Amino acid sequence: MMTEFHFGKLIGKGMERACYENMDNPNTCFKVSRKEHSKQTIREGAYFKYLQKKNISPSFMPKFIGLYETEDSFILEQECVRNTEEIKTQTLRDFVLNASEEQMVKLEQLLENLREEMLRLNIIVSDMRTTNILVLTYHDKPFKIMIFDGYGTPEFIPLPNFIPFLGAKKIERQWNKFRRYYNEDLQKKAQNASQNTSVKC
């Protein structure tokens, strides 16, 4: 019997896939890829299954529900992080551009905790852009970071996924690349602050 999927509102769209609300379960979402553009979805599904088998559940990773195949698509179902009355979500880029000094201090602590956890659990994220990372705030105080895209390594034989020594090298390279994106956002934040100061003067 074929599983039925009831897609809700479009949440986001990338080059390979689109993400939709799950009309049957508000706590999960569907990432849908056409089969001819499904490398990322297949890679992530295999990686999530591997982590499940190893009983590894990173605090920053949305819960994996399942990977399904239809006639023309692959569909990855995972936890959907939503806004509530008390908890708000923003991409890391959007958060940084508007964050206070106090919020930035806490954010730096969360980012260092993220890096340490990735190394400790050998979690590979191949595309750590600041638009792929969510900051969760409770009453405007950042308390959690979640990465919702880009898991696993794209190598044909993904040895870094299984060998911590190679994984650590991969994680550090990806982290350095992430810091370049992050520093660009910090520079833009400083430029905005400078322009606002000039206007006030």
Side-chain angles (χ1 to χ4, degrees), residues 169-184:
K169 289 183 174 297
K170 183 84 171 180
I171 290 166
E172 290 290 8
R173 286 197 300 271
Q174 294 299 329
W175 188 264
N176 289 336
K177 188 183 295 184
F178 156 73
R179 291 297 305 197
R180 290 198 291 272
Y181 295 133
Y182 180 65
N183 287 336
E184 288 175 3

Side-chain angles (χ1 to χ4, degrees), residues 17 32-33 37 39 41 62 95 110 119 124 130 133 167 173-174 179 192 199:
R17 58 190 177 182
V32 183
S33 304
H37 301 292
K39 287 183 179 180
T41 298
F95 178 83
L110 292 174
L119 288 168
I124 311 295
T130 55
I133 300 174
R173 286 197 300 271
Q174 294 299 329
R179 291 297 305 197
N192 291 346
V199 169

Side-chain angles (χ1 to χ4, degrees), residues 137-200:
T137 58
Y138 179 78
H139 293 307
D140 294 328
K141 295 182 179 180
F143 73 95
K144 188 174 184 177
I145 288 177
M146 297 192 76
I147 303 174
F148 59 86
D149 223 351
Y151 285 97
T153 184
E155 284 91 340
F156 180 70
I157 301 177
L159 294 179
N161 289 348
F162 316 121
I163 302 175
F165 173 75
L166 297 178
K169 289 183 174 297
K170 183 84 171 180
I171 290 166
E172 290 290 8
R173 286 197 300 271
Q174 294 299 329
W175 188 264
N176 289 336
K177 188 183 295 184
F178 156 73
R179 291 297 305 197
R180 290 198 291 272
Y181 295 133
Y182 180 65
N183 287 336
E184 288 175 3
D185 293 340
L186 293 179
Q187 290 173 4
K188 186 173 181 180
K189 177 183 178 67
Q191 290 171 358
N192 291 346
S194 176
Q195 289 172 359
N196 290 337
T197 301
S198 297
V199 169
K200 289 178 182 178

Side-chain angles (χ1 to χ4, degrees), residues 20-167:
Y20 298 90
E21 292 181 340
N22 180 359
M23 294 291 288
D24 298 322
N25 183 353
N27 295 316
T28 71
C29 59
F30 296 122
K31 291 182 176 178
V32 183
S33 304
R34 302 284 295 183
K35 284 188 173 178
E36 60 268 27
H37 301 292
S38 58
K39 287 183 179 180
Q40 183 179 4
T41 298
I42 293 172
R43 181 177 72 236
E44 283 191 350
Y47 189 52
F48 290 150
K49 289 178 181 179
Y50 166 74
L51 293 177
Q52 272 189 340
K53 187 176 181 180
K54 292 289 186 179
N55 199 29
I56 298 173
S57 301
S59 66
F60 54 85
M61 179 185 286
K63 183 179 178 182
F64 170 69
I65 308 300
L67 178 65
Y68 317 104
E69 182 177 0
T70 67
E71 184 176 344
D72 59 4
S73 302
F74 283 101
I75 300 172
L76 192 152
E77 183 180 4
Q78 69 179 40
E79 176 187 4
C80 184
V81 183
R82 292 178 174 274
N83 289 329
T84 68
E85 288 187 4
E86 296 179 331
I87 297 175
K88 305 300 179 184
T89 66
Q90 287 181 284
T91 66
L92 178 59
R93 173 175 293 172
D94 289 340
F95 178 83
V96 165
L97 293 179
N98 297 287
S100 67
E101 184 175 342
E102 181 181 359
Q103 287 175 319
M104 290 301 298
V105 170
K106 179 61 177 177
L107 177 63
E108 288 290 348
Q109 293 175 350
L110 292 174
L111 288 174
E112 183 56 31
N113 292 343
L114 170 65
R115 176 180 170 276
E116 291 175 358
E117 186 176 3
M118 292 176 73
L119 288 168
R120 177 168 52 83
L121 298 179
N122 193 42
I123 304 300
I124 311 295
V125 183
S126 59
D127 189 16
M128 286 189 63
R129 298 178 184 272
T130 55
T131 51
N132 285 348
I133 300 174
L134 290 179
V135 179
L136 279 64
T137 58
Y138 179 78
H139 293 307
D140 294 328
K141 295 182 179 180
F143 73 95
K144 188 174 184 177
I145 288 177
M146 297 192 76
I147 303 174
F148 59 86
D149 223 351
Y151 285 97
T153 184
E155 284 91 340
F156 180 70
I157 301 177
L159 294 179
N161 289 348
F162 316 121
I163 302 175
F165 173 75
L166 297 178

